[in-house]
Amino acid sequence: VLDVKLHLSAKKLRHTIDEDNVASNEERITALIFLRYHIDDDLKYEYLTVKNLLELWQNLNDRFEHLKTVVLPKALNDWSQLRFQDFKTVSEYNSTLFKIVS
């Protein structure tokens, strides 16, 4: 989300994903093309019929916003308790580290 907002800001298209925006049709289409280009192929096909940029943005936000409340606290807790000395090998430590990151 942050990367998309930053990129749209750099292209002066950030306002296209705000409610009640006054973006031109050309700006909306440009931002829609950018968003569709950068989302996963499975999501692209799932939201293929959505032609409204704001609707697509809201659908994606609704779909993934819960990750902040469900997954992030556990990952932060696991990260704060991760200690190198608790593992017998570097491989075990790396494996646990990559699980937390993913």
Side-chain angles (χ1 to χ4, degrees):
V1 169
L2 182 59
D3 287 345
V4 170
K5 287 182 178 180
L6 287 172
H7 185 81
L8 291 175
S9 293
K11 292 193 165 260
K12 297 182 177 36
L13 296 171
R14 169 70 173 82
H15 62 282
T16 59
I17 57 173
D18 293 334
E19 298 252 357
D20 300 327
N21 65 62
V22 291
S24 70
N25 199 33
E26 183 180 318
E27 290 174 324
R28 287 187 187 118
I29 291 170
T30 303
L32 181 62
I33 290 168
F34 168 78
L35 193 56
R36 283 198 176 164
Y37 181 79
H38 287 88
I39 62 175
D40 185 72
D41 286 340
D42 293 334
L43 290 173
K44 201 179 294 186
Y45 293 123
E46 185 174 337
Y47 294 109
L48 191 62
T49 59
V50 178
K51 305 287 186 207
N52 183 340
L53 172 67
L54 188 56
E55 183 182 347
L56 176 60
W57 181 256
Q58 288 298 333
N59 288 343
L60 292 171
N61 190 42
D62 293 344
R63 181 178 183 139
F64 294 107
E65 185 66 25
H66 76 282
L67 294 177
K68 286 182 185 176
T69 57
V70 176
V71 177
L72 184 60
K74 182 179 180 342
L76 290 174
N77 183 45
D78 291 348
W79 177 257
S80 68
Q81 295 182 9
L82 183 68
R83 297 183 328 169
F84 186 73
Q85 63 195 25
D86 293 339
F87 298 91
K88 292 181 181 178
T89 65
V90 173
S91 178
E92 289 176 17
Y93 174 81
N94 283 340
S95 177
T96 302
L97 176 66
F98 289 126
K99 284 180 187 175
I100 293 171
V101 170
S102 67

